[in-house]
Amino acid sequence: MTENPLAEGLALRRTPDPCALVIFGASGDLTHKKIMPALYALAVRRLLPPQFAIVGVARTGDTDDDSFRKDMETAVKQHARDPFRQETWDELAPMLHYISTDFADAGGEDKLHDLLAELDEKEQLGGNRVFYLAVPPPAFPTIVEALGKRRDSAGWTRLVVEKPFGHDLESAKQLTATLLEYFREDEIFRIDHYLGKETVQNMLALRFANGIFEPIWNRQFVDHVQITVAESIGIEARAGYYEHAGAIRDIFQNHLLQLLALTAMEPPIDFTSDSVHNEKVKVLRALHTPGPKSVVRGQYGRGFVEGEEVAAYREEAGVAADSMTETYVSAKLYVDNWRWADTPFYVRMGKRLARHETTIAIQFKAAPHPPFEETASEGLRPNVLVVHVQPDEGVSLAIGAKVPGQGMTIRTVHMDFLYGGAFRTGMPEAYERLILDTMLGDSTLFTRADEVEEQWLLVDSIVAAWQRDQPAFPNYPAGSWGPPSADELLQRDGRAWRRH
Ligand code: BG6
């Protein structure tokens, strides 16, 4: 294959300091499907520090270093984006260690403490630590307290906290208070893995590296914005979690509001963590609480997804037969500031929708006075700039163009930029970037306490309004685009969801 000059420098980043990465929840799904495959991808690209140790921590007692390494090898073979390379694995495997401990027992953390001290000595890790909490939230406080009380290593410490960060505003504040008892805010890395996605970061490049978009990125030129996080999968084996979360806590509170914040924020003065967080939090604060008519919730019934018949949500294992948990939410939101006043942001997200698709569409106002005959421009729609977050990552701009021929007929065509074609390189997984950033101490792509709190404030007010009336569930068939009331939400404004 020919060299691609555009790919130059793509992988050039600082290498992190020597350190130990301690994964709590080493026997869990996240470690197998995301964390370990990401570490392997970093190893393939030689982005891990040369002096490095990975310590898996879980309660499983019959695991030792060898069986942990075998288990992780299988995980890498199943889930990594790169083909399995024995040489890479042979370098990585000896860095893996396992200890079984239950932090709920008094002194449970001693084993970890001793192992880390030994590794510091043997591998010259400098006492640097990343503690990754990939465990269910009820386990957070015990582990954090145990770690916090034994902060005696010489180097830096960072704490990575997986979502969900709280269940509502109150519990999120409580959790932050617990973390802050032992760690500083700049040591806390709250994961929202959407921020690690290349295309999400590209939103910043698109907006702030190009002079042509910013002048029209406002209420004067933009008619409305549509953000879609559609999944065709159901809840898989996660009923225990999902029944309590629902779409609003699972996707809306975090991924969706972050996409909105990046779309609506003002240009930051630089790309440092605080500058970016400051601008995002202003957007989240400016979000107006939507009235009950501006929020639609849904739950899927039986249907067909990609040709296969699938069960209703209420028929999924572990879900109550009369569950009122929503698997779909759409809403009309307003950002109350000078840039966006009166410009609706229509957002929707759901499980078991027709297609897997995450997009941010900026719909511009129509040309004020097209000088063509009406019939000539029947096939013309206003300009739309669509950021395809996934799949088919890229950006497309819908423009009007003349259809070749003698007459003057105008139709909408698309100018497309596709990552695969332009850079001829595979897309890194979000977790690769995020894990590397924690080791580098860069929290730009993580969420700060105040952002999370603003997100909960909005969600809490929506959920509180939901208590007053109960819709008839299920109200959309699996494989569709959601409940009819979601279409009405836009029809009332003379608009429609983007066609697919
Ligand atoms: C997770 C949610 O945060 O994001 C899941 O808990 C969802 O329910 C997932 O499926 C979607 O992530 P991605 O990267 O596949 O779009």
Side-chain angles (χ1 to χ4, degrees), residues 243-271:
E243 272 282 84
H244 294 105
I248 195 137
R249 292 187 176 89
D250 187 42
I251 300 275
F252 179 94
Q253 187 271 345
N254 38 76
H255 309 326
L256 191 115
L257 289 179
Q258 284 292 324
L259 294 181
L260 189 152
L262 291 172
T263 307
M265 73 194 244
E266 294 301 315
I269 52 162
D270 54 32
F271 202 54

mmCIF file of all heavy atoms in Angstrom, residues 243-271:
data_model
loop_
_atom_site.group_PDB
_atom_site.id
_atom_site.type_symbol
_atom_site.label_atom_id
_atom_site.label_comp_id
_atom_site.label_asym_id
_atom_site.label_seq_id
_atom_site.Cartn_x
_atom_site.Cartn_y
_atom_site.Cartn_z
ATOM 1 N N GLU A 243 -32.883 -1.534 33.992
ATOM 2 C CA GLU A 243 -34.204 -1.322 34.590
ATOM 3 C C GLU A 243 -34.198 -0.081 35.489
ATOM 4 O O GLU A 243 -35.190 0.609 35.617
ATOM 5 C CB GLU A 243 -34.609 -2.554 35.408
ATOM 6 C CG GLU A 243 -35.325 -3.628 34.614
ATOM 7 C CD GLU A 243 -36.789 -3.303 34.345
ATOM 8 O OE1 GLU A 243 -37.041 -2.576 33.376
ATOM 9 O OE2 GLU A 243 -37.663 -3.765 35.102
ATOM 10 N N HIS A 244 -33.072 0.184 36.138
ATOM 11 C CA HIS A 244 -32.996 1.355 37.015
ATOM 12 C C HIS A 244 -32.518 2.614 36.308
ATOM 13 O O HIS A 244 -32.729 3.721 36.788
ATOM 14 C CB HIS A 244 -32.080 1.059 38.206
ATOM 15 C CG HIS A 244 -32.653 0.017 39.091
ATOM 16 N ND1 HIS A 244 -32.176 -1.276 39.123
ATOM 17 C CD2 HIS A 244 -33.714 0.050 39.931
ATOM 18 C CE1 HIS A 244 -32.910 -1.984 39.947
ATOM 19 N NE2 HIS A 244 -33.849 -1.211 40.457
ATOM 20 N N ALA A 245 -31.852 2.401 35.181
ATOM 21 C CA ALA A 245 -31.286 3.561 34.486
ATOM 22 C C ALA A 245 -32.274 4.102 33.445
ATOM 23 O O ALA A 245 -32.687 5.263 33.500
ATOM 24 C CB ALA A 245 -29.968 3.165 33.832
ATOM 25 N N GLY A 246 -32.668 3.229 32.514
ATOM 26 C CA GLY A 246 -33.499 3.681 31.397
ATOM 27 C C GLY A 246 -32.656 4.529 30.452
ATOM 28 O O GLY A 246 -31.501 4.880 30.765
ATOM 29 N N ALA A 247 -33.257 4.861 29.302
ATOM 30 C CA ALA A 247 -32.504 5.599 28.277
ATOM 31 C C ALA A 247 -32.048 6.966 28.799
ATOM 32 O O ALA A 247 -30.996 7.466 28.416
ATOM 33 C CB ALA A 247 -33.371 5.767 27.036
ATOM 34 N N ILE A 248 -32.818 7.557 29.696
ATOM 35 C CA ILE A 248 -32.467 8.920 30.116
ATOM 36 C C ILE A 248 -31.176 8.964 30.929
ATOM 37 O O ILE A 248 -30.375 9.879 30.792
ATOM 38 C CB ILE A 248 -33.632 9.610 30.856
ATOM 39 C CG1 ILE A 248 -33.357 11.112 30.922
ATOM 40 C CG2 ILE A 248 -33.862 9.050 32.256
ATOM 41 C CD1 ILE A 248 -34.509 11.972 30.632
ATOM 42 N N ARG A 249 -30.971 7.942 31.757
ATOM 43 C CA ARG A 249 -29.724 7.925 32.546
ATOM 44 C C ARG A 249 -28.590 7.242 31.788
ATOM 45 O O ARG A 249 -27.426 7.530 32.005
ATOM 46 C CB ARG A 249 -29.953 7.215 33.882
ATOM 47 C CG ARG A 249 -30.869 7.973 34.815
ATOM 48 C CD ARG A 249 -30.934 7.312 36.180
ATOM 49 N NE ARG A 249 -31.734 8.102 37.092
ATOM 50 C CZ ARG A 249 -33.054 7.977 37.243
ATOM 51 N NH1 ARG A 249 -33.715 7.087 36.542
ATOM 52 N NH2 ARG A 249 -33.703 8.744 38.095
ATOM 53 N N ASP A 250 -28.960 6.305 30.925
ATOM 54 C CA ASP A 250 -27.938 5.524 30.231
ATOM 55 C C ASP A 250 -27.246 6.334 29.138
ATOM 56 O O ASP A 250 -26.035 6.244 28.960
ATOM 57 C CB ASP A 250 -28.592 4.272 29.631
ATOM 58 C CG ASP A 250 -27.574 3.312 29.043
ATOM 59 O OD1 ASP A 250 -26.535 3.107 29.682
ATOM 60 O OD2 ASP A 250 -27.820 2.770 27.937
ATOM 61 N N ILE A 251 -28.008 7.103 28.383
ATOM 62 C CA ILE A 251 -27.434 7.798 27.221
ATOM 63 C C ILE A 251 -27.654 9.315 27.272
ATOM 64 O O ILE A 251 -26.759 10.096 27.007
ATOM 65 C CB ILE A 251 -28.067 7.268 25.906
ATOM 66 C CG1 ILE A 251 -27.824 5.758 25.743
ATOM 67 C CG2 ILE A 251 -27.568 8.059 24.705
ATOM 68 C CD1 ILE A 251 -26.520 5.364 25.118
ATOM 69 N N PHE A 252 -28.885 9.724 27.619
ATOM 70 C CA PHE A 252 -29.209 11.155 27.564
ATOM 71 C C PHE A 252 -28.343 11.950 28.539
ATOM 72 O O PHE A 252 -27.738 12.955 28.177
ATOM 73 C CB PHE A 252 -30.697 11.341 27.904
ATOM 74 C CG PHE A 252 -31.165 12.773 27.903
ATOM 75 C CD1 PHE A 252 -31.741 13.317 26.769
ATOM 76 C CD2 PHE A 252 -31.039 13.577 29.026
ATOM 77 C CE1 PHE A 252 -32.171 14.639 26.753
ATOM 78 C CE2 PHE A 252 -31.469 14.892 29.026
ATOM 79 C CZ PHE A 252 -32.039 15.426 27.881
ATOM 80 N N GLN A 253 -28.279 11.484 29.780
ATOM 81 C CA GLN A 253 -27.594 12.256 30.830
ATOM 82 C C GLN A 253 -26.119 12.491 30.501
ATOM 83 O O GLN A 253 -25.551 13.501 30.916
ATOM 84 C CB GLN A 253 -27.723 11.510 32.170
ATOM 85 C CG GLN A 253 -27.211 12.272 33.378
ATOM 86 C CD GLN A 253 -25.738 12.039 33.668
ATOM 87 O OE1 GLN A 253 -25.144 11.085 33.143
ATOM 88 N NE2 GLN A 253 -25.146 12.891 34.482
ATOM 89 N N ASN A 254 -25.513 11.580 29.795
ATOM 90 C CA ASN A 254 -24.075 11.693 29.577
ATOM 91 C C ASN A 254 -23.736 11.900 28.097
ATOM 92 O O ASN A 254 -23.466 13.025 27.678
ATOM 93 C CB ASN A 254 -23.352 10.473 30.164
ATOM 94 C CG ASN A 254 -24.163 9.197 29.949
ATOM 95 O OD1 ASN A 254 -24.194 8.662 28.860
ATOM 96 N ND2 ASN A 254 -24.850 8.733 30.990
ATOM 97 N N HIS A 255 -23.786 10.807 27.309
ATOM 98 C CA HIS A 255 -23.302 10.906 25.925
ATOM 99 C C HIS A 255 -24.041 11.994 25.132
ATOM 100 O O HIS A 255 -23.438 12.806 24.452
ATOM 101 C CB HIS A 255 -23.481 9.578 25.188
ATOM 102 C CG HIS A 255 -22.925 8.392 25.928
ATOM 103 N ND1 HIS A 255 -21.797 8.463 26.708
ATOM 104 C CD2 HIS A 255 -23.339 7.108 26.001
ATOM 105 C CE1 HIS A 255 -21.546 7.271 27.220
ATOM 106 N NE2 HIS A 255 -22.468 6.430 26.817
ATOM 107 N N LEU A 256 -25.359 11.968 25.237
ATOM 108 C CA LEU A 256 -26.125 12.896 24.414
ATOM 109 C C LEU A 256 -25.880 14.358 24.800
ATOM 110 O O LEU A 256 -25.662 15.225 23.945
ATOM 111 C CB LEU A 256 -27.613 12.569 24.485
ATOM 112 C CG LEU A 256 -28.300 13.383 23.424
ATOM 113 C CD1 LEU A 256 -28.905 12.506 22.372
ATOM 114 C CD2 LEU A 256 -29.262 14.339 23.994
ATOM 115 N N LEU A 257 -25.897 14.629 26.095
ATOM 116 C CA LEU A 257 -25.689 16.029 26.514
ATOM 117 C C LEU A 257 -24.263 16.490 26.215
ATOM 118 O O LEU A 257 -24.028 17.670 25.956
ATOM 119 C CB LEU A 257 -26.040 16.197 27.994
ATOM 120 C CG LEU A 257 -27.540 16.105 28.307
ATOM 121 C CD1 LEU A 257 -27.789 16.268 29.804
ATOM 122 C CD2 LEU A 257 -28.341 17.154 27.529
ATOM 123 N N GLN A 258 -23.323 15.570 26.236
ATOM 124 C CA GLN A 258 -21.952 15.956 25.873
ATOM 125 C C GLN A 258 -21.872 16.297 24.376
ATOM 126 O O GLN A 258 -21.210 17.257 23.992
ATOM 127 C CB GLN A 258 -20.967 14.831 26.224
ATOM 128 C CG GLN A 258 -20.658 14.732 27.711
ATOM 129 C CD GLN A 258 -19.856 15.924 28.234
ATOM 130 O OE1 GLN A 258 -19.001 16.464 27.543
ATOM 131 N NE2 GLN A 258 -20.135 16.345 29.454
ATOM 132 N N LEU A 259 -22.561 15.513 23.551
ATOM 133 C CA LEU A 259 -22.563 15.826 22.108
ATOM 134 C C LEU A 259 -23.178 17.203 21.879
ATOM 135 O O LEU A 259 -22.681 18.009 21.096
ATOM 136 C CB LEU A 259 -23.353 14.773 21.315
ATOM 137 C CG LEU A 259 -22.795 13.348 21.269
ATOM 138 C CD1 LEU A 259 -23.690 12.445 20.420
ATOM 139 C CD2 LEU A 259 -21.379 13.327 20.716
ATOM 140 N N LEU A 260 -24.253 17.460 22.617
ATOM 141 C CA LEU A 260 -24.912 18.767 22.478
ATOM 142 C C LEU A 260 -23.976 19.895 22.931
ATOM 143 O O LEU A 260 -23.854 20.930 22.270
ATOM 144 C CB LEU A 260 -26.211 18.768 23.289
ATOM 145 C CG LEU A 260 -27.125 19.955 23.079
ATOM 146 C CD1 LEU A 260 -28.581 19.528 23.337
ATOM 147 C CD2 LEU A 260 -26.812 21.135 23.954
ATOM 148 N N ALA A 261 -23.300 19.665 24.056
ATOM 149 C CA ALA A 261 -22.411 20.711 24.584
ATOM 150 C C ALA A 261 -21.293 21.036 23.591
ATOM 151 O O ALA A 261 -20.963 22.205 23.362
ATOM 152 C CB ALA A 261 -21.837 20.285 25.931
ATOM 153 N N LEU A 262 -20.725 20.002 22.967
ATOM 154 C CA LEU A 262 -19.640 20.243 22.010
ATOM 155 C C LEU A 262 -20.146 20.959 20.755
ATOM 156 O O LEU A 262 -19.436 21.731 20.130
ATOM 157 C CB LEU A 262 -18.982 18.916 21.602
ATOM 158 C CG LEU A 262 -18.180 18.213 22.694
ATOM 159 C CD1 LEU A 262 -17.747 16.834 22.227
ATOM 160 C CD2 LEU A 262 -16.955 19.032 23.082
ATOM 161 N N THR A 263 -21.403 20.683 20.408
ATOM 162 C CA THR A 263 -21.979 21.316 19.225
ATOM 163 C C THR A 263 -22.278 22.791 19.490
ATOM 164 O O THR A 263 -22.099 23.641 18.625
ATOM 165 C CB THR A 263 -23.304 20.604 18.839
ATOM 166 O OG1 THR A 263 -23.043 19.208 18.731
ATOM 167 C CG2 THR A 263 -23.866 21.124 17.532
ATOM 168 N N ALA A 264 -22.727 23.085 20.718
ATOM 169 C CA ALA A 264 -23.231 24.436 20.988
ATOM 170 C C ALA A 264 -22.209 25.356 21.647
ATOM 171 O O ALA A 264 -22.407 26.564 21.700
ATOM 172 C CB ALA A 264 -24.470 24.332 21.886
ATOM 173 N N MET A 265 -21.099 24.813 22.147
ATOM 174 C CA MET A 265 -20.186 25.636 22.962
ATOM 175 C C MET A 265 -19.514 26.761 22.174
ATOM 176 O O MET A 265 -19.410 26.705 20.954
ATOM 177 C CB MET A 265 -19.111 24.745 23.599
ATOM 178 C CG MET A 265 -18.070 24.255 22.646
ATOM 179 S SD MET A 265 -17.133 22.914 23.422
ATOM 180 C CE MET A 265 -15.548 23.671 23.479
ATOM 181 N N GLU A 266 -19.058 27.753 22.930
ATOM 182 C CA GLU A 266 -18.274 28.845 22.335
ATOM 183 C C GLU A 266 -16.851 28.336 22.093
ATOM 184 O O GLU A 266 -16.410 27.389 22.743
ATOM 185 C CB GLU A 266 -18.212 30.021 23.320
ATOM 186 C CG GLU A 266 -19.547 30.677 23.584
ATOM 187 C CD GLU A 266 -20.192 31.230 22.326
ATOM 188 O OE1 GLU A 266 -19.489 31.876 21.534
ATOM 189 O OE2 GLU A 266 -21.390 30.990 22.121
ATOM 190 N N PRO A 267 -16.117 28.983 21.187
ATOM 191 C CA PRO A 267 -14.724 28.555 20.988
ATOM 192 C C PRO A 267 -13.916 28.728 22.268
ATOM 193 O O PRO A 267 -13.929 29.822 22.845
ATOM 194 C CB PRO A 267 -14.220 29.517 19.905
ATOM 195 C CG PRO A 267 -15.428 30.122 19.299
ATOM 196 C CD PRO A 267 -16.512 30.087 20.320
ATOM 197 N N PRO A 268 -13.237 27.697 22.734
ATOM 198 C CA PRO A 268 -12.395 27.866 23.919
ATOM 199 C C PRO A 268 -11.138 28.651 23.543
ATOM 200 O O PRO A 268 -10.738 28.633 22.384
ATOM 201 C CB PRO A 268 -12.041 26.425 24.318
ATOM 202 C CG PRO A 268 -12.216 25.620 23.086
ATOM 203 C CD PRO A 268 -13.196 26.332 22.197
ATOM 204 N N ILE A 269 -10.528 29.324 24.535
ATOM 205 C CA ILE A 269 -9.342 30.114 24.161
ATOM 206 C C ILE A 269 -8.141 29.222 23.861
ATOM 207 O O ILE A 269 -7.254 29.596 23.125
ATOM 208 C CB ILE A 269 -8.953 31.171 25.230
ATOM 209 C CG1 ILE A 269 -8.832 30.517 26.607
ATOM 210 C CG2 ILE A 269 -9.895 32.349 25.218
ATOM 211 C CD1 ILE A 269 -8.056 31.360 27.573
ATOM 212 N N ASP A 270 -8.113 28.049 24.447
ATOM 213 C CA ASP A 270 -7.095 27.066 24.074
ATOM 214 C C ASP A 270 -7.673 25.688 24.329
ATOM 215 O O ASP A 270 -8.830 25.564 24.743
ATOM 216 C CB ASP A 270 -5.775 27.285 24.852
ATOM 217 C CG ASP A 270 -5.982 27.319 26.356
ATOM 218 O OD1 ASP A 270 -6.888 26.625 26.844
ATOM 219 O OD2 ASP A 270 -5.241 28.046 27.049
ATOM 220 N N PHE A 271 -6.862 24.671 24.083
ATOM 221 C CA PHE A 271 -7.404 23.319 24.188
ATOM 222 C C PHE A 271 -6.982 22.659 25.499
ATOM 223 O O PHE A 271 -6.781 21.462 25.573
ATOM 224 C CB PHE A 271 -6.980 22.497 22.962
ATOM 225 C CG PHE A 271 -7.892 21.329 22.712
ATOM 226 C CD1 PHE A 271 -9.266 21.512 22.580
ATOM 227 C CD2 PHE A 271 -7.394 20.046 22.621
ATOM 228 C CE1 PHE A 271 -10.116 20.444 22.365
ATOM 229 C CE2 PHE A 271 -8.233 18.955 22.411
ATOM 230 C CZ PHE A 271 -9.599 19.156 22.281
#
